[in-house]
Amino acid sequence: MAEYLSPGVYVEEFDSGGQPLAGVSTSTAGFIGLAQRGPTEGLPVLVTSMNDFKRNFGSYLSENQFGSYRYLAYAVEHYFVNGGSRAYIMRVAPNDAKPASGSAGTLTLTARNPGAWGNAVQAVLEPSSKAKTQIYEVVGDAKYRVKNGAGFNAGDVVAFEASGEKQYGKVISSRDNVIELEAALEGDVVDGGLLPAKVLSTCEFTLTVAYGDEVEQFEKCSLNIAAANYVEKAAARSNLVAVTAAPSDAAVHPLETLGASTISLSGGSDGSAGALSAADFMGEDNGPGKRTGIQAFIDNDQASLMAVPGVTEPAVQLALVAHCENLGSRFAILDIPREKTKVPDVLTHRDIFDSSYAAMYNPWLQVFDPLEKRNIFIPPSGSIAGVYARSDSTRGVEKAPANEVIRGCTGLEVQYNKGEQDILNPKGVNLIRSFSGQGIRVWGARTTSSNALWKYINIRRLFIFLEESIKAGTNWVVFEPNDERLWARVHRTIDAFLTRVWRGGALMGSSPGEAFYIDISRNTMTQDDIDNGRLICVIGVAPVKPAEFVIFRITQKTNEQ
């Protein structure tokens, strides 16, 4: 309660209604795969275009070097071509991939992540200084009163220049414009002129790192480990290199200690496909900031579509499906092995899975390869993720992402007919088919679940949307007094949200009452629930189902009818 201690008029605000509840995004994709460069552990990286992907992860990979593991770049490209707008990328690298490195004296530069890309990184060292001043007075043995002692720190190497000659020393202490050096400077060092001819300056260097058009510059770096501008600290934000240096005790310019002005990195390698295994894509949970592969997406709460393009090992795909089921907030798009084109072979791979959080697509798509300047076949998962995103933005998550044209696709590796689809469709294999005059279209909308309640993709994704939206929009409820007033506010919040969803066409019924119900009362909670801090709200919704089979029954009309 507020305190009222003096007479007056008090105005107070309070919340009496429900909080606005916004829907979450359902079209952000997450991809795992091989790339030329990019981090292999930590948080997945957000890209918003193919150019953004190339800046962070490089371009296309060679088929001769990586075979069926090379499709990440193509999948991301066709995700954006087909309507995607945001994707999170987690790079996987072979165990035998190595980062490039180079050194000069005690300074060592190592590429931020493994790959031959690092061999093109160059670093240039140039002299610089963060502070300059003139000496007004000699106040003791190797002690000098200066005009301005700011920027001179213990351990800094300094240069005293007079008449074109330089002397070097090291700062012992700097306080109240009095600087003490390790050894006294020779000659007359005092200069009280307005335009000084004798200058005492710190000795640093500017590190410039370049990779193609990407240039990073770190100014006024020092080898003084106690300095705020110590080179390891200054270059810690670099996206290209990691810098390590040993502090120098010599009272000479850092560039003389390092003995080089240009460092070219070398020794980086992309590794080989033979060094890859399913474990590399499944990843390891080494704790926050150290997770790899699929496990890295545990730390990401934005991605709602997941794919490992072209990687069809059952262990990897089952790990991806388990990841989606455990989180309950994302949906897996699975590829079928390219060599499995016959119906029995496709069903053999399909029978491994039973989950409403995954869908399977076949066959592979023919697209133009900018790297090899010819048509190639790529796995469909990237393009399908783009179709999902496009359908969500134009129609809504309640619309099945099927009967949609696949953009950028010039053909199919296999053309299935209706009889073959009659076998595959009930089993949950979504085919991509070419229709005369209608282009190449997604012609299936089923999950890999054996539960008939969850056999349609849009039903599962609609529930993911509802669950995540309600969860994100009701955080304000936690630790509120658990009484009827709170229950009424929660009811109003969810009712307003579901009414908006119903009006958008995602729920069945001619009225909100037919489309959904919300029960939050003594009927859903016991006194034990309340005593243990539980607020239980039961929500029922009637999702719209896709018109998968359109049947027109026609008969002859006779005169007698």
Side-chain angles (χ1 to χ4, degrees), residues 198-480:
K198 303 173 184 179
V199 177
L200 183 70
S201 59
T202 59
C203 295
E204 285 83 31
F205 60 94
T206 294
L207 173 64
T208 303
V209 184
Y211 171 72
D213 296 333
E214 190 173 352
V215 178
E216 298 175 340
Q217 190 172 74
F218 308 98
E219 297 181 342
K220 302 177 178 61
C221 298
S222 172
L223 293 181
N224 178 9
I225 195 171
N229 58 330
Y230 181 51
V231 62
E232 289 188 14
K233 297 178 184 177
R237 65 181 185 276
S238 172
N239 293 320
L240 296 175
V241 295
V243 179
T244 57
S248 173
D249 293 329
V252 296
H253 195 285
L255 294 188
E256 295 184 21
T257 300
L258 300 176
S261 59
T262 302
I263 304 174
S264 297
L265 273 61
S266 61
S269 69
D270 291 328
S272 60
L276 286 166
S277 67
D280 296 318
F281 294 92
M282 295 162 68
E284 296 182 1
D285 189 349
N286 298 317
K290 297 292 184 180
R291 297 183 176 99
T292 63
I294 295 171
Q295 298 298 320
F297 279 89
I298 293 175
D299 297 323
N300 178 286
D301 59 358
Q302 300 297 316
S304 53
L305 303 170
M306 296 293 297
V308 189
V311 180
T312 55
E313 283 109 330
V316 176
Q317 293 187 325
L318 286 169
L320 184 68
V321 173
H323 170 81
C324 295
E325 288 184 333
N326 289 336
L327 293 182
S329 60
R330 49 195 57 166
F331 192 84
I333 302 173
L334 307 179
D335 298 313
I336 290 177
R338 182 179 175 182
E339 67 276 7
K340 293 189 177 182
T341 56
K342 296 181 180 179
V343 171
D345 295 337
V346 172
L347 290 178
T348 299
H349 190 77
R350 158 65 187 93
D351 289 341
I352 299 172
F353 306 92
D354 186 358
S355 173
S356 66
Y357 286 87
M360 187 172 288
Y361 291 85
N362 204 41
W364 286 35
L365 311 177
Q366 184 183 64
V367 302
F368 181 74
D369 183 4
L371 178 64
E372 300 184 358
K373 303 295 188 293
R374 63 181 179 89
N375 287 333
I376 62 169
F377 293 100
I378 67 169
S381 53
S383 300
I384 296 298
V387 170
Y388 280 28
R390 185 175 80 218
S391 177
D392 288 355
S393 62
T394 57
R395 297 289 301 276
V397 70
E398 71 276 3
K399 196 273 183 187
N403 199 4
E404 299 279 349
V405 174
I406 297 184
R407 299 171 183 167
C409 177
T410 59
L412 300 171
E413 187 168 36
V414 178
Q415 179 63 268
Y416 290 99
N417 59 34
K418 183 181 181 300
E420 290 162 333
Q421 188 166 20
D422 287 344
I423 300 172
L424 295 174
N425 187 69
K427 296 292 186 180
V429 178
N430 301 311
L431 293 184
I432 302 167
R433 297 181 59 187
S434 176
F435 296 95
S436 179
Q438 299 181 58
I440 296 172
R441 292 176 177 259
V442 182
W443 208 246
R446 297 204 176 196
T447 68
T448 58
S449 177
S450 60
N451 187 341
L453 291 175
W454 301 104
K455 68 179 178 180
Y456 291 118
I457 294 169
N458 60 305
I459 302 300
R460 168 47 70 198
R461 296 188 65 236
L462 173 63
F463 270 77
I464 290 175
F465 166 73
L466 295 176
E467 291 164 7
E468 292 303 303
S469 298
I470 291 173
K471 183 166 67 174
T474 54
N475 271 337
W476 59 271
V477 178
V478 180
F479 298 118
E480 289 290 309

Side-chain angles (χ1 to χ4, degrees), residues 553-557 561:
R553 294 194 170 106
I554 303 176
T555 186
Q556 293 187 23
K557 181 180 183 301
Q561 289 179 316

Side-chain angles (χ1 to χ4, degrees), residues 30-50:
F31 293 102
I32 302 102
L34 263 65
Q36 283 185 333
R37 55 176 295 209
T40 57
E41 65 177 20
L43 293 174
V45 177
L46 173 66
V47 297
T48 55
S49 67
M50 190 57 191

Side-chain angles (χ1 to χ4, degrees), residues 89-108:
I89 312 298
M90 193 65 212
R91 180 195 176 200
V92 172
N95 292 329
D96 57 350
K98 297 179 180 179
S101 62
S103 62
T106 58
L107 190 67
T108 301

